[in-house]
Amino acid sequence: MKAHHIMTRKVIKVAPGDSITDAARLMLDNHLSGLPVVDLKGALVGIVTERDLLRRREIGTQRNRPRWLDFILGPGRQAADYVQTAGRRVDEIMTRDVQTVTEDTPLSDVVAIMERYRIKRVPVMNSNNKLTGIISRQNFVRAVAGLARDVPDPTADDTHIHTRILKEIGRHDWGPSGLEVFVRNGVVDICGVITDERTRQAIIVAAENVAGVKQVHDHLCWVDPLSGAYFEPKEERTKAS
């Protein structure tokens, strides 16, 4: 999937000369944590976010550094901090270095940008470098919620389920050899030996994601590769108790 598949197309934005009070009200009224800043020509010039409103003189949250640190940082940094805490217009406090993506940017690249720069939203630009949408973390939540994983698959009989589970597990380096998979009416029983407890959940998830699987029973035994200690599957221990 690409950016245009999940982006919000109706973008609420502000102008550089708008007051920060108006920007804050827009964010509150529309349940947004950030707004793109667009000039009269339609060019994206910045973004104003909750972070830009944290250090404000009106509410007593301006930054107070030790005098020795202010001396090291210099008057330029002090001046910039003053503008950030006392500025009244959007263009005085907004973030100017904005990370953007295009409509055809793969979602994996969008996520990589958001993680690398620790940001919650990314403006989406078209081929003419005009703002056409925005992607926030909420868009990804909606995309996941809208997935139709349980669409009926006419080929998902027990034999196909068995083959697909082994194929999915086998294509990963964490997949152990010698697993036995039994399928009856979509109910899966998995038996075998693992040497890392984290592998157990990966195997179960791999089985659960195969179309037609209704339930997965874990009969995997864990063997500690250092001590050789053997632990029965959790389901077996539960039955025994």
Side-chain angles (χ1 to χ4, degrees):
M1 295 178 72
K2 297 184 178 180
H4 69 87
H5 289 122
I6 71 167
M7 71 181 187
T8 299
R9 297 179 182 274
K10 186 178 179 181
V11 183
I12 299 174
K13 48 189 178 290
V14 290
D18 288 349
S19 72
I20 64 168
T21 303
D22 289 342
R25 286 173 179 159
L26 267 179
M27 283 191 261
L28 287 175
D29 291 345
N30 294 279
H31 308 288
L32 300 171
S33 59
L35 300 169
V37 184
V38 178
D39 65 17
L40 294 176
K41 296 180 180 179
L44 179 70
V45 295
I47 191 165
V48 60
T49 70
E50 294 170 329
R51 182 186 299 177
D52 296 313
L53 297 170
L54 289 178
R55 297 287 186 179
R56 293 298 301 175
R57 185 175 59 179
E58 307 96 314
I59 56 176
T61 57
Q62 67 269 31
R63 197 182 302 278
N64 294 310
R65 297 191 184 91
R67 292 182 63 85
W68 64 266
L69 185 55
D70 276 335
F71 178 78
I72 292 174
L73 294 174
R77 180 59 179 272
Q78 296 176 45
D81 285 348
Y82 177 78
V83 172
Q84 188 69 37
T85 60
R88 308 306 300 171
R89 298 193 313 271
V90 168
D91 61 346
E92 293 172 332
I93 70 163
M94 69 183 185
T95 300
R96 297 178 182 274
D97 185 16
V98 184
Q99 301 299 321
T100 64
V101 297
T102 68
E103 295 175 323
D104 291 324
T105 300
L107 292 187
S108 58
D109 291 346
V110 177
V111 172
I113 290 172
M114 295 173 78
E115 288 182 337
R116 180 185 304 168
Y117 296 98
R118 298 181 181 180
I119 53 180
K120 296 181 179 180
R121 70 208 56 75
V122 183
V124 182
M125 316 299 287
N126 64 14
S127 56
N128 295 319
N129 205 32
K130 297 295 183 181
L131 180 69
T132 58
I134 194 164
I135 293 180
S136 69
R137 295 178 183 179
Q138 192 67 30
N139 291 100
F140 286 95
V141 175
R142 292 194 190 103
V144 172
L147 290 176
R149 185 180 65 83
D150 296 325
V151 174
D153 183 348
T155 68
D157 57 28
D158 289 348
T159 300
H160 283 94
I161 291 172
H162 175 273
T163 301
R164 289 167 183 168
I165 290 174
L166 288 178
K167 183 178 179 180
E168 175 61 21
I169 295 173
R171 71 186 188 90
H172 298 284
D173 292 338
W174 49 257
S177 59
L179 283 183
E180 292 186 292
V181 176
F182 304 94
V183 186
R184 184 175 181 181
N185 297 325
V187 178
V188 179
D189 290 87
I190 303 178
C191 305
V193 175
I194 58 175
T195 56
D196 188 322
E197 264 296 327
R198 292 170 293 185
T199 305
R200 182 188 306 277
Q201 194 62 43
I203 292 170
I204 294 172
V205 168
E208 289 174 339
N209 276 284
V210 171
V213 171
K214 300 175 182 176
Q215 192 173 11
V216 178
H217 294 297
D218 167 20
H219 305 284
L220 296 164
C221 300
W222 176 53
V223 175
D224 186 343
L226 296 178
S227 66
Y230 173 89
F231 298 90
E232 290 185 343
K234 184 177 180 180
E235 288 193 15
E236 305 302 325
R237 295 198 303 271
T238 303
K239 290 178 183 177
S241 61

